[in-house]
Amino acid sequence: MADGLESAPGPRLTELAHGGGCGCKIAPGVLRDLLAGQPAPGAFPNLLVGTETSDDAAVWQVDENACVISTTDFFMPMVDDPFDFGRIAATNAISDVYAMGGRPVMALAILGMPVDKLAPATIREILRGGASVCGEAGIPVAGGHSIDAPEPIYGLAVTGLVHPDRLRRNTGARPGDALILTKGLGVGIYSAAIRKGALDAAGYAEMLASTTLLNRVGADLAADPEVRGITDVTGFGILGHALEMARGSGATLRIAARELPWLEQAERLAEAGFATGASTRNWASYGEEIRLPADMPDWRRRLLTDPQTSGGLLVACAEGAADLLLAAIHSAGYPMARRIGEVLAGDPVVVVA
């Protein structure tokens, strides 16, 4: 099979799930409605980052030299190989810590499995995949929680640490900054193709290489004062997460469509009609805060709203430092990193040109 699972007892993992990867996320507009009636965290001066700007993780300042980063992420399978599913989910969950400029220190596993449908060996492989990525990140899986669930779910709760001076948020972009994206786009398109058996072995390998590449470069970037803001690009697509940065920073983000890096088959598959339901839900949530060229075809717009599972980091940095930072990102092992736009003074919108 193209997605790596040659022979395993029981049904395909993707057959047991109504969605997969970060395409499972509740649409941003719906999420805002759900959270609208929730009480604010209250007067907690040590809570530096909460829910106020849809940032990647919560941050609690312990003292003048240390902050604790806390995050959780989990989803249903987008691939059928259980080991690969575990690796992708773990890489995605750890990314939130790197996106805040921190380094992870430990993880807890989150596991929900239809134990009457999946063999124990398959579930063990999911856990082994997640543990292998945690090992690569240099952290233990120190515990977790499991339930019997109708659909397979796996992810991590991750704890990290960061010095207050190195904390980076999605609120720091300033007019005049350059925008850099560290990974290629199109993961959701690829996952849609997997479900229909239309992604070849080369495409699967490309997707797996991207989705299991840890975003550890975020911690290194945060050490540079010329890096103003960072967020990771996941289920809301490049447009959705750019919009969160625009809102949080009170500025306009201008994205040059021709500069966006795409996985090799993404444009061809999108033009052929492959898309996730999340792409449509994302677009319906953006409203007038997203401005696209009038002649942009629907298939290309779907690429921009494509949910990215374990996607790259969107980085806002000083214009004069952009070239050197981009070279450093390439050297750190992110060959598809590109400079994709700029930050402008103006309303908190995203303009694609």
Side-chain angles (χ1 to χ4, degrees), residues 36-37 45 56 61-62 67 84-85 91 101 113 116 139 145-146 211 246 248 262 292 317 322 328-329 348:
D56 297 296
Q61 185 165 2
V62 178
C67 296
D84 289 347
F85 171 39
T91 307
M113 290 289 145
D116 59 332
I139 65 173
H145 186 67
S146 61
T211 55
W262 301 106
L292 305 181
C317 66
I329 294 168

Side-chain angles (χ1 to χ4, degrees), residues 6-196:
E6 297 296 338
S7 60
R12 294 174 58 190
L13 287 177
T14 54
E15 290 177 343
L16 296 174
H18 74 277
C22 285
C24 298
K25 291 178 74 167
I26 294 174
V30 176
L31 185 59
R32 285 197 301 273
D33 288 342
L34 293 176
L35 295 177
Q38 300 302 309
F44 295 96
N46 290 68
L47 183 64
L48 301 188
V49 185
T51 61
E52 60 279 356
T53 62
S54 303
D55 220 324
D56 297 296
V59 180
W60 183 274
Q61 185 165 2
V62 178
D63 55 36
E64 62 183 10
N65 294 311
C67 296
V68 173
I69 303 170
S70 185
T71 184
T72 183
D73 214 316
F74 53 88
F75 47 61
M76 293 171 285
M78 56 185 288
V79 297
D80 289 311
D81 185 297
F83 183 74
D84 289 347
F85 171 39
R87 292 174 68 203
I88 293 168
T91 307
N92 179 76
I94 296 170
S95 177
D96 287 340
V97 172
Y98 294 130
M100 304 302 295
R103 299 189 185 278
V105 295
M106 71 173 182
L108 303 175
I110 299 166
L111 185 73
M113 290 289 145
V115 294
D116 59 332
K117 297 176 182 176
L118 288 176
T122 298
I123 300 173
R124 283 196 296 269
E125 280 295 284
I126 295 170
L127 294 171
R128 189 172 73 88
S132 74
V133 165
C134 289
E136 184 182 346
I139 65 173
V141 180
H145 186 67
S146 61
I147 62 169
D148 185 354
E151 295 180 286
I153 297 169
Y154 175 69
L156 300 174
V158 187
T159 301
L161 295 174
V162 66
H163 189 282
D165 293 343
R166 294 190 176 187
L167 175 63
R168 292 297 181 271
R169 304 188 57 180
N170 64 1
T171 60
R174 306 176 191 172
D177 284 354
L179 296 173
I180 294 172
L181 182 64
T182 64
K183 288 187 186 182
L185 300 165
V187 174
I189 300 291
Y190 274 37
S191 67
I194 286 175
R195 283 183 168 269
K196 296 184 178 180

Side-chain angles (χ1 to χ4, degrees), residues 170-259:
N170 64 1
T171 60
R174 306 176 191 172
D177 284 354
L179 296 173
I180 294 172
L181 182 64
T182 64
K183 288 187 186 182
L185 300 165
V187 174
I189 300 291
Y190 274 37
S191 67
I194 286 175
R195 283 183 168 269
K196 296 184 178 180
L199 187 68
D200 60 24
Y204 183 82
E206 181 190 25
M207 185 194 75
L208 189 64
S210 179
T211 55
T212 60
L213 175 61
L214 286 163
N215 278 326
R216 64 172 89 235
V217 71
D220 299 325
L221 291 170
D224 192 325
E226 302 284 26
V227 173
R228 326 278 205 197
I230 306 175
T231 191
D232 66 349
V233 178
T234 54
F236 300 155
I238 182 63
L239 290 186
H241 292 285
L243 180 56
E244 289 178 341
M245 181 175 280
R247 288 171 175 159
S249 303
T252 296
L253 267 60
R254 180 183 180 276
I255 294 175
R258 66 183 179 279
E259 301 299 334

Side-chain angles (χ1 to χ4, degrees), residues 302-321:
R302 285 194 294 270
L303 281 168
L304 297 174
T305 62
D306 186 49
Q308 303 305 292
T309 300
S310 192
L313 300 176
L314 178 61
V315 181
C317 66
E319 162 67 28

